Amino acid sequence: MPRLRLTLAYDGTDFSGWQLQAEGHGRTVQGCLEEALTRLCGTPIRVHGAGRTDAGVHALAQTAHVDVPEARVVIPWQRALNSLLPPDVRVVDAGYVSDDFHARFDAVGKIYCYTLWIQPDYVLPWRRPYVWDVGKSAPLDVDAMDACAALFVGYNDFAAFQNTGSEVKTTTRLVHGVERLPDGPPTEMVWRFRAEGFLKQMVRNLMGALVAVGRGKVSPEDIRSVLTRGQRRFAPATAPACGLCHQAVEYGEDGRRRKRHLLHQPEAGQR
């Protein structure tokens, strides 16, 4: 069966996360996508995502792959899927790939951004679902936050920053960067997290630690100790889901995974 690669954007506010849930346990992005694909293909279709996002987490460029029947290869997938999907999830790119491409296992990196609202007097109503309002507290100590962020870069055991709910072989991860973005409105502060991969709610836990440092509740050295001790109970609280956005999944040559290429160009309007 031909393999289709999809890039998806969604507003996570009203979703119970990416992963399909048991009936009656909430609406999911995977569930909506599989329902639309099943209607178009006339047979049950399973979607494989690059990773899971929790309830309330948004995505700008989540990647997924799906095998479709040969008889349906001429379908204009982006247009057809978007006509069936709810308005809070959209296919922003679609194209066929080699049949050994895997959205999850071929990923070499992931990027998330977390947005803090730092204006003390108000939150713009249309930004409220996409930010963590920290503006009511004293101004954040950004120098201390930068110092703390540097502790997370490189190979570290992030056991203290993993929430329960998933089984992993190791809690060690390679983090390429944790940084404040220089551009943006003065009412917001955006942090970007880039790594080979993340543990369950790891980005939200790192963000919770950075804000705790910025508020002066703990010091960067306290966080260094938490990282070394490896126990979640000593770490600051998890940041809210609403401020987190899945920005991109990275694919390419890294000495372990083969570079993948589209078999043909996406349909017009998908670039």
Side-chain angles (χ1 to χ4, degrees):
M1 297 174 71
R3 181 156 294 184
L4 187 68
R5 172 174 161 173
L6 304 172
T7 303
L8 306 158
Y10 48 87
D11 180 334
T13 304
D14 295 326
F15 284 107
S16 296
W18 162 269
Q19 189 177 17
L20 197 66
Q21 304 285 330
E23 188 173 353
H25 284 72
R27 175 172 170 264
T28 68
V29 179
Q30 183 184 15
C32 289
L33 193 57
E34 289 186 358
E35 181 180 348
L37 282 160
T38 296
R39 288 180 62 184
L40 290 169
C41 294
T43 187
I45 297 293
R46 177 48 50 92
V47 175
H48 302 271
R52 305 170 184 175
T53 50
D54 295 323
V57 175
H58 316 291
L60 186 63
Q62 170 71 286
T63 303
H65 79 263
V66 58
D67 294 330
V68 298
E70 187 77 41
R72 297 293 195 270
V73 294
V74 297
I75 288 177
W77 290 106
Q78 183 189 38
R79 192 178 317 118
L81 284 168
N82 285 337
S83 71
L84 296 176
L85 287 167
D88 49 0
V89 56
R90 279 292 172 263
V91 176
V92 298
D93 193 20
Y96 289 105
V97 289
S98 56
D99 60 7
D100 61 347
F101 170 82
H102 198 286
R104 177 185 173 191
F105 298 130
D106 284 347
V108 298
K110 296 179 181 177
I111 301 173
Y112 284 85
C113 281
Y114 198 103
T115 303
L116 303 175
W117 184 269
I118 57 176
Q119 158 62 244
D121 301 318
Y122 64 89
V123 180
L124 290 172
W126 53 89
R127 290 299 292 152
R128 184 172 293 280
Y130 311 107
V131 299
W132 179 11
D133 178 11
V134 298
K136 293 182 178 63
S137 60
L140 297 173
D141 182 342
V142 293
D143 291 335
M145 295 175 78
D146 289 342
C148 183
L151 301 175
F152 300 138
V153 179
Y155 274 109
N156 286 292
D157 186 343
F158 288 97
F161 296 93
Q162 173 189 235
N163 286 354
T164 59
S166 65
E167 294 184 5
V168 293
K169 293 181 180 179
T170 176
T171 51
T172 299
R173 293 292 184 272
L174 173 59
V175 173
H176 300 298
V178 178
E179 58 186 343
R180 281 185 299 119
L181 300 187
D183 301 323
T187 55
E188 298 180 4
M189 181 190 297
V190 180
W191 286 82
R192 180 169 59 197
F193 301 79
R194 179 171 174 261
E196 277 190 327
F198 296 95
L199 301 167
K200 181 177 176 61
Q201 297 177 349
M202 176 175 155
V203 176
R204 291 169 58 192
N205 289 330
L206 296 179
M207 192 71 252
L210 288 170
V211 168
V213 168
R215 287 172 166 169
K217 293 184 176 181
V218 294
S219 70
E221 285 305 310
D222 292 330
I223 299 302
R224 186 194 299 274
S225 176
V226 169
L227 193 62
T228 301
R229 296 173 77 175
Q231 297 182 53
R232 177 74 195 121
R233 62 193 178 95
F234 295 117
T238 305
C242 58
L244 184 60
C245 183
H246 185 299
Q247 291 288 117
V249 184
E250 298 178 307
Y251 298 93
E253 294 264 2
D254 72 344
R256 292 178 301 152
R257 299 173 175 90
R258 290 167 291 171
K259 190 172 183 178
R260 308 294 182 167
H261 299 277
L262 290 177
L263 296 183
H264 66 252
Q265 293 297 318
E267 54 196 86
Q270 292 186 10
R271 291 181 174 82

